[in-house]
Amino acid sequence: MAIVLSVLFAGTFVMGCAEMLVAGMLDLMAADLAVPLSAVGALVSANALGIAIGGPLLTFLTARLGRRPVLLIALAVFTGLNLLPALGAGLEAFIAARIVIGAAEGLFIAAAITTATSIVSRERVGRAMAVVISGFAVSSAVGMPLGRLLGEVVGWRVSFLAVVLTAAVVLAIALLVVPRVPGESEVGMLGQLRFAFAPPVLAVLAVGTLLFAGVSAAQTYLVPFLDGVTGVSGPWIGVCLMGFGIAAAIGSFAGGRFADAGAAHALILGAIGVAASLVAMMMWGANPVVAVIALLGLAVCSAGITSPWQHRVEHLAGPGVILAASLPASAGNLGDAVGAFSGGQAIDIGGVPTAILTAVILAGVSIAAAIASRSLRPARRSQRASPPQETQPATAQ
């Protein structure tokens, strides 16, 4: 079991590193290709679009297949397409490939979570989810600085070979150790749609979308915030960003235990923690000590709610759990896009402090939505299905 979970973690880790690799080398790629930075930035948007739309679509289309071949095919597609830059592919071709890569990532996440939760006891489902999801959180701490270093030393094209080689190793090990997990066999594909997009599921997806929009409205502009509001500059910005990534990794792992203890409560507490951190940034951001503590709190809480959110969505989806497993990643990317856009518009109006205020408002709304969604229950629970069973604290029964 531990080996399988480690391989699934490694899969999401290398996928997260590929995303951070692009983010860390945007200016190097733009200079080498002689295109505007915004043109290269389309690589980030293309990947997010692939996860948000392609992930659920591919998960739906492959719902009847066993999770093992789906997982392996998704990882193989990811590995192969990331080889294109090293082979000299142009920007347009790589942008198109990034859409497919994002879709493969979304499919892999859903299949990996379903696989992970199938090999653990019911009371450890949240922790199994956290192992898979934490691969992305850990990659955020090391992927961007590593990508920058590789880009400067060996060039941006060769840097993708590191991703390909690592992914190939993970794929080879996965072929040996990942067990067979059956696909959907009870409600059919239309049933997957009906249960995965039931009103309670959509309501909880909206909670996470609002929350991640608030996080993104601030996180996207952390460097201008640190430099222009807090007064942190130079190498200390890099230290703060790495600290943010490490704190996110810690929060992501811890979130699994909170999910097992009571996902609905954990989602509310996480939203409150995010909002409190953002309020501290808004009110006392000029104080470097307070600002750094608030940033770490934001990282821990925002990453900590991912597993409870995933757990809650799958619990409410009941027999539609296979398709529902792909929806939080999709909704989270939507929230990131909305938050980054809202924060950018706010900066145009009143500068970076206005972006933080926007983040506070979005996080505040997510608290109310999380509280309102606390009592939601699955519309129907099939006796033959095996969705994650949400554990509630004794006081919440």
Side-chain angles (χ1 to χ4, degrees):
M1 181 184 71
I3 295 176
V4 175
L5 292 176
S6 298
V7 170
L8 299 178
F9 167 84
T12 54
F13 173 76
V14 71
M15 289 179 176
C17 282
E19 294 182 21
M20 294 295 102
L21 192 71
V22 172
M25 299 191 302
L26 284 178
D27 57 334
L28 300 178
M29 297 169 71
D32 182 63
L33 296 170
V35 297
L37 190 63
S38 58
V40 183
L43 291 168
V44 178
S45 301
N47 189 264
L49 182 66
I51 295 175
I53 299 176
L57 178 60
L58 291 181
T59 301
F60 170 68
L61 294 175
T62 60
R64 287 187 174 274
L65 302 178
R67 298 297 87 191
R68 183 178 187 273
V70 168
L71 189 149
L72 295 175
I73 291 171
L75 188 53
V77 170
F78 169 86
T79 304
L81 290 181
N82 271 294
L83 190 59
L84 289 178
L87 297 177
L91 180 61
E92 294 80 6
F94 194 33
I95 289 175
R98 289 279 290 181
I99 297 177
V100 182
I101 288 171
E105 287 183 18
L107 179 61
F108 180 88
I109 293 168
I113 288 175
T114 303
T115 301
T117 55
S118 72
I119 62 174
V120 298
S121 59
R122 182 173 296 177
E123 61 272 13
R124 297 182 67 86
V125 163
R127 275 164 279 190
M129 291 178 176
V131 170
V132 176
I133 296 170
S134 295
F136 287 102
V138 174
S139 69
S140 69
V142 300
M144 188 175 293
L146 179 61
R148 186 71 190 184
L149 177 62
L150 286 173
E152 291 178 344
V153 173
V154 300
W156 70 271
R157 289 189 182 276
V158 179
S159 298
F160 281 95
L161 283 177
V163 171
V164 171
L165 292 174
T166 305
V169 171
V170 175
L171 177 59
I173 299 174
L175 280 166
L176 298 175
V177 304
V178 172
R180 296 184 182 277
V181 176
E184 193 285 317
S185 61
E186 181 186 0
V187 297
M189 295 181 72
L190 292 180
Q192 285 286 318
L193 283 173
R194 181 161 64 92
F195 285 104
F197 289 97
V201 177
L202 294 178
V204 174
L205 285 172
V207 173
T209 302
L210 283 168
L211 185 55
F212 280 106
V215 173
S216 179
Q219 184 178 341
T220 304
Y221 306 100
L222 279 185
V223 173
F225 171 79
L226 290 169
D227 189 25
V229 177
T230 304
V232 176
S233 59
W236 288 108
I237 291 180
V239 172
C240 289
L241 293 178
M242 182 167 289
F244 187 93
I246 294 172
I250 294 171
S252 184
F253 280 111
R257 292 186 175 275
F258 284 105
D260 288 329
H265 287 80
L267 195 54
I268 295 171
L269 292 175
I272 292 173
V274 167
S277 300
L278 291 169
V279 168
M281 290 172 61
M282 181 180 67
M283 297 186 65
W284 302 290
N287 185 313
V289 175
V290 175
V292 169
I293 293 174
L295 286 178
L296 296 177
L298 178 64
V300 170
C301 294
S302 60
I305 63 98
T306 52
S307 294
W309 187 33
Q310 182 85 32
H311 197 296
R312 186 87 170 118
V313 166
E314 293 192 25
H315 168 70
L316 292 174
V321 65
I322 286 182
L323 176 57
S326 69
L327 298 181
S330 177
N333 274 272
L334 174 61
D336 288 343
V338 170
F341 176 80
S342 301
Q345 295 298 305
I347 287 176
D348 290 341
I349 295 172
V352 174
T354 310
I356 305 300
L357 174 61
T358 302
V360 170
I361 293 171
L362 289 167
V365 175
S366 76
I367 295 174
I371 293 173
S373 70
R374 177 180 176 274
S375 61
L376 293 175
R377 295 292 182 268
R380 180 178 68 84
R381 189 175 300 172
S382 171
Q383 293 181 350
R384 289 192 298 162
S386 299
Q389 301 298 311
E390 183 174 0
T391 305
Q392 293 288 349
T395 56
Q397 298 297 328

